[in-house]
Amino acid sequence: MLATLRRAALALAFCALATPAALADYSYIVYSPQVLAEAQATGKPFLVDFYATWCPTCHAQERVLTSLYEGDSKYNAIPVIRVDWDTWRRSSLVADWGIPRRSTLVLMQGTQELGRLVADTRPEAIKALLDLAL
């Protein structure tokens, strides 16, 4: 039952994020291997944010993402999956994707990487990354 509810909630979240006018604020989906697999299966672009709550660079990136998502609804078509660095830093995801540290943003489409930024907080750089998906 819990798995069914979780899948339904995830499906609704991806549908809402895929509709530019449906969401006016920045938000993210918490990472799990299932969430990633479902995002990849859509074949649509999505952003993976390797984040730590204690990381000032991560917070700076989040402020930029919030500003971009709230400032232009076109970015709402790009769901964000947040990977908790403290939980997943030793995972196969981090190893297989060659993630060097927290504050790494990876733009994906299906299983293909479109681009990445590591510890970059410049609004123009983060915007340019997201624009690769549009």
Side-chain angles (χ1 to χ4, degrees):
M1 174 89 172
L2 182 60
T4 302
L5 289 173
R6 185 173 173 203
R7 278 194 295 274
L10 180 64
L12 286 172
F14 272 108
C15 288
L17 289 171
T19 306
L23 187 65
D25 295 322
Y26 170 75
S27 64
Y28 59 86
I29 302 162
V30 175
Y31 168 81
S32 73
Q34 180 181 351
V35 164
L36 179 63
E38 290 176 10
Q40 290 173 323
T42 69
K44 296 179 180 178
F46 59 95
L47 184 69
V48 182
D49 178 5
F50 292 85
Y51 185 93
T53 58
W54 48 266
C55 169
T57 306
C58 299
H59 286 283
Q61 288 176 330
E62 181 178 41
R63 285 190 297 274
V64 172
L65 288 168
T66 299
S67 175
L68 289 168
Y69 276 69
E70 291 178 356
D72 193 332
S73 64
K74 70 183 178 186
Y75 296 115
N76 293 315
I78 307 169
V80 178
I81 299 173
R82 181 174 283 178
V83 179
D84 183 296
W85 184 255
D86 293 328
T87 302
W88 297 99
R89 71 176 168 238
R90 291 185 180 88
S91 69
S92 60
L93 171 68
V94 169
D96 293 347
W97 285 21
I99 304 301
R101 56 174 287 170
R102 72 226 174 273
S103 71
T104 299
L105 302 172
V106 182
L107 184 66
M108 300 290 294
Q109 184 163 358
T111 58
Q112 178 184 358
E113 182 176 321
L114 300 178
R116 76 170 56 191
L117 295 172
V118 179
D120 198 331
T121 60
R122 295 172 299 140
E124 63 274 11
I126 295 173
K127 180 184 183 308
L129 178 67
L130 293 176
D131 285 347
L132 293 173
L134 303 175

Short mmCIF file of all heavy atoms in Angstrom, two decimals, residues 43-47 78 105-117 128-134:
data_model
loop_
_atom_site.label_atom_id
_atom_site.label_comp_id
_atom_site.label_asym_id
_atom_site.label_seq_id
_atom_site.Cartn_x
_atom_site.Cartn_y
_atom_site.Cartn_z
N GLY A 43 12.26 9.92 -20.10
CA GLY A 43 13.01 10.44 -21.24
C GLY A 43 13.05 11.96 -21.27
O GLY A 43 13.59 12.55 -22.20
N LYS A 44 12.49 12.61 -20.25
CA LYS A 44 12.46 14.07 -20.19
C LYS A 44 13.62 14.57 -19.33
O LYS A 44 14.13 13.85 -18.48
CB LYS A 44 11.14 14.55 -19.60
CG LYS A 44 9.95 14.20 -20.47
CD LYS A 44 8.67 14.67 -19.85
CE LYS A 44 7.49 14.30 -20.76
NZ LYS A 44 6.21 14.69 -20.17
N PRO A 45 14.02 15.82 -19.53
CA PRO A 45 15.12 16.37 -18.72
C PRO A 45 14.73 16.50 -17.25
O PRO A 45 13.58 16.76 -16.92
CB PRO A 45 15.35 17.76 -19.33
CG PRO A 45 14.73 17.71 -20.68
CD PRO A 45 13.59 16.75 -20.57
N PHE A 46 15.74 16.33 -16.40
CA PHE A 46 15.59 16.55 -14.97
C PHE A 46 16.95 16.90 -14.39
O PHE A 46 17.99 16.58 -14.99
CB PHE A 46 14.97 15.33 -14.25
CG PHE A 46 15.77 14.06 -14.40
CD1 PHE A 46 16.68 13.68 -13.42
CD2 PHE A 46 15.61 13.24 -15.50
CE1 PHE A 46 17.42 12.51 -13.55
CE2 PHE A 46 16.33 12.07 -15.64
CZ PHE A 46 17.23 11.69 -14.66
N LEU A 47 16.94 17.58 -13.27
CA LEU A 47 18.17 18.02 -12.62
C LEU A 47 18.38 17.19 -11.36
O LEU A 47 17.45 16.99 -10.58
CB LEU A 47 18.06 19.50 -12.24
CG LEU A 47 19.31 20.13 -11.63
CD1 LEU A 47 20.44 20.24 -12.65
CD2 LEU A 47 18.97 21.50 -11.06
N ILE A 78 11.45 21.28 -15.62
CA ILE A 78 12.63 20.49 -15.28
C ILE A 78 12.54 20.07 -13.81
O ILE A 78 12.87 20.87 -12.91
CB ILE A 78 13.92 21.30 -15.51
CG1 ILE A 78 13.96 21.86 -16.93
CG2 ILE A 78 15.16 20.43 -15.24
CD1 ILE A 78 15.06 22.89 -17.16
N LEU A 105 25.56 19.74 -9.48
CA LEU A 105 24.29 19.73 -10.20
C LEU A 105 24.51 19.00 -11.51
O LEU A 105 25.42 19.34 -12.27
CB LEU A 105 23.82 21.16 -10.48
CG LEU A 105 23.63 22.07 -9.27
CD1 LEU A 105 23.35 23.51 -9.72
CD2 LEU A 105 22.49 21.56 -8.40
N VAL A 106 23.66 18.00 -11.78
CA VAL A 106 23.78 17.22 -13.02
C VAL A 106 22.45 17.28 -13.75
O VAL A 106 21.42 16.87 -13.21
CB VAL A 106 24.17 15.75 -12.73
CG1 VAL A 106 24.32 14.98 -14.04
CG2 VAL A 106 25.44 15.67 -11.90
N LEU A 107 22.49 17.77 -14.97
CA LEU A 107 21.30 17.82 -15.81
C LEU A 107 21.26 16.56 -16.66
O LEU A 107 22.23 16.25 -17.35
CB LEU A 107 21.31 19.06 -16.70
CG LEU A 107 20.06 19.26 -17.56
CD1 LEU A 107 18.84 19.54 -16.68
CD2 LEU A 107 20.28 20.40 -18.54
N MET A 108 20.16 15.84 -16.58
CA MET A 108 20.00 14.57 -17.28
C MET A 108 18.80 14.62 -18.21
O MET A 108 17.86 15.39 -17.99
CB MET A 108 19.77 13.43 -16.27
CG MET A 108 20.88 13.21 -15.27
SD MET A 108 22.37 12.53 -15.99
CE MET A 108 21.79 10.91 -16.49
N GLN A 109 18.85 13.78 -19.23
CA GLN A 109 17.67 13.49 -20.05
C GLN A 109 17.68 12.00 -20.25
O GLN A 109 18.57 11.47 -20.93
CB GLN A 109 17.70 14.22 -21.39
CG GLN A 109 16.43 13.97 -22.17
CD GLN A 109 16.24 14.97 -23.29
OE1 GLN A 109 17.03 15.89 -23.49
NE2 GLN A 109 15.18 14.80 -24.03
N GLY A 110 16.72 11.33 -19.64
CA GLY A 110 16.76 9.87 -19.61
C GLY A 110 18.01 9.44 -18.86
O GLY A 110 18.23 9.87 -17.73
N THR A 111 18.87 8.64 -19.51
CA THR A 111 20.11 8.21 -18.88
C THR A 111 21.32 8.97 -19.40
O THR A 111 22.45 8.67 -19.04
CB THR A 111 20.33 6.70 -19.11
OG1 THR A 111 20.36 6.45 -20.52
CG2 THR A 111 19.25 5.87 -18.46
N GLN A 112 21.07 9.98 -20.22
CA GLN A 112 22.16 10.77 -20.80
C GLN A 112 22.40 12.05 -20.01
O GLN A 112 21.47 12.81 -19.74
CB GLN A 112 21.84 11.13 -22.25
CG GLN A 112 22.90 11.99 -22.91
CD GLN A 112 22.51 12.42 -24.31
OE1 GLN A 112 21.47 12.05 -24.83
NE2 GLN A 112 23.35 13.22 -24.92
N GLU A 113 23.66 12.29 -19.67
CA GLU A 113 24.01 13.53 -19.00
C GLU A 113 24.12 14.64 -20.04
O GLU A 113 24.85 14.53 -21.02
CB GLU A 113 25.34 13.38 -18.26
CG GLU A 113 25.74 14.63 -17.51
CD GLU A 113 27.01 14.48 -16.70
OE1 GLU A 113 27.23 13.40 -16.10
OE2 GLU A 113 27.79 15.45 -16.65
N LEU A 114 23.40 15.74 -19.79
CA LEU A 114 23.45 16.89 -20.68
C LEU A 114 24.51 17.90 -20.24
O LEU A 114 25.02 18.66 -21.05
CB LEU A 114 22.08 17.58 -20.74
CG LEU A 114 20.91 16.74 -21.24
CD1 LEU A 114 19.62 17.54 -21.19
CD2 LEU A 114 21.18 16.23 -22.64
N GLY A 115 24.80 17.93 -18.93
CA GLY A 115 25.80 18.85 -18.41
C GLY A 115 25.84 18.78 -16.90
O GLY A 115 24.96 18.19 -16.27
N ARG A 116 26.89 19.39 -16.34
CA ARG A 116 27.03 19.41 -14.88
C ARG A 116 27.81 20.63 -14.44
O ARG A 116 28.61 21.17 -15.20
CB ARG A 116 27.64 18.13 -14.34
CG ARG A 116 29.12 17.99 -14.52
CD ARG A 116 29.75 16.82 -13.75
NE ARG A 116 29.16 15.53 -14.05
CZ ARG A 116 29.39 14.43 -13.36
NH1 ARG A 116 30.22 14.44 -12.35
NH2 ARG A 116 28.81 13.29 -13.67
N LEU A 117 27.57 21.00 -13.20
CA LEU A 117 28.32 22.06 -12.53
C LEU A 117 28.76 21.53 -11.17
O LEU A 117 27.99 20.85 -10.49
CB LEU A 117 27.46 23.30 -12.31
CG LEU A 117 26.97 24.06 -13.54
CD1 LEU A 117 25.98 25.14 -13.13
CD2 LEU A 117 28.15 24.66 -14.29
N ALA A 128 22.50 28.68 -17.56
CA ALA A 128 22.99 28.06 -18.80
C ALA A 128 22.86 26.53 -18.74
O ALA A 128 22.52 25.90 -19.74
CB ALA A 128 24.45 28.46 -19.05
N LEU A 129 23.11 25.96 -17.56
CA LEU A 129 22.93 24.51 -17.41
C LEU A 129 21.47 24.13 -17.65
O LEU A 129 21.18 23.22 -18.43
CB LEU A 129 23.40 24.05 -16.02
CG LEU A 129 23.21 22.56 -15.72
CD1 LEU A 129 24.12 21.71 -16.60
CD2 LEU A 129 23.47 22.28 -14.25
N LEU A 130 20.56 24.81 -16.96
CA LEU A 130 19.14 24.50 -17.14
C LEU A 130 18.67 24.73 -18.56
O LEU A 130 17.85 23.97 -19.08
CB LEU A 130 18.31 25.33 -16.16
CG LEU A 130 18.46 25.02 -14.68
CD1 LEU A 130 17.66 26.01 -13.85
CD2 LEU A 130 18.08 23.60 -14.36
N ASP A 131 19.22 25.76 -19.21
CA ASP A 131 18.80 26.07 -20.59
C ASP A 131 19.18 24.96 -21.57
O ASP A 131 18.59 24.88 -22.65
CB ASP A 131 19.40 27.41 -21.03
CG ASP A 131 18.70 28.59 -20.39
OD1 ASP A 131 17.60 28.41 -19.80
OD2 ASP A 131 19.26 29.71 -20.46
N LEU A 132 20.11 24.10 -21.20
CA LEU A 132 20.46 22.96 -22.06
C LEU A 132 19.27 22.01 -22.22
O LEU A 132 19.21 21.25 -23.19
CB LEU A 132 21.64 22.18 -21.48
CG LEU A 132 22.99 22.89 -21.44
CD1 LEU A 132 24.00 22.05 -20.68
CD2 LEU A 132 23.47 23.18 -22.86
N ALA A 133 18.33 22.05 -21.29
CA ALA A 133 17.17 21.16 -21.32
C ALA A 133 16.00 21.73 -22.10
O ALA A 133 15.03 21.04 -22.37
CB ALA A 133 16.72 20.84 -19.89
N LEU A 134 16.06 23.00 -22.44
CA LEU A 134 14.92 23.67 -23.08
C LEU A 134 15.04 23.71 -24.59
O LEU A 134 16.05 23.58 -25.17
CB LEU A 134 14.77 25.08 -22.53
CG LEU A 134 14.60 25.13 -21.00
CD1 LEU A 134 14.57 26.57 -20.52
CD2 LEU A 134 13.32 24.42 -20.57
#
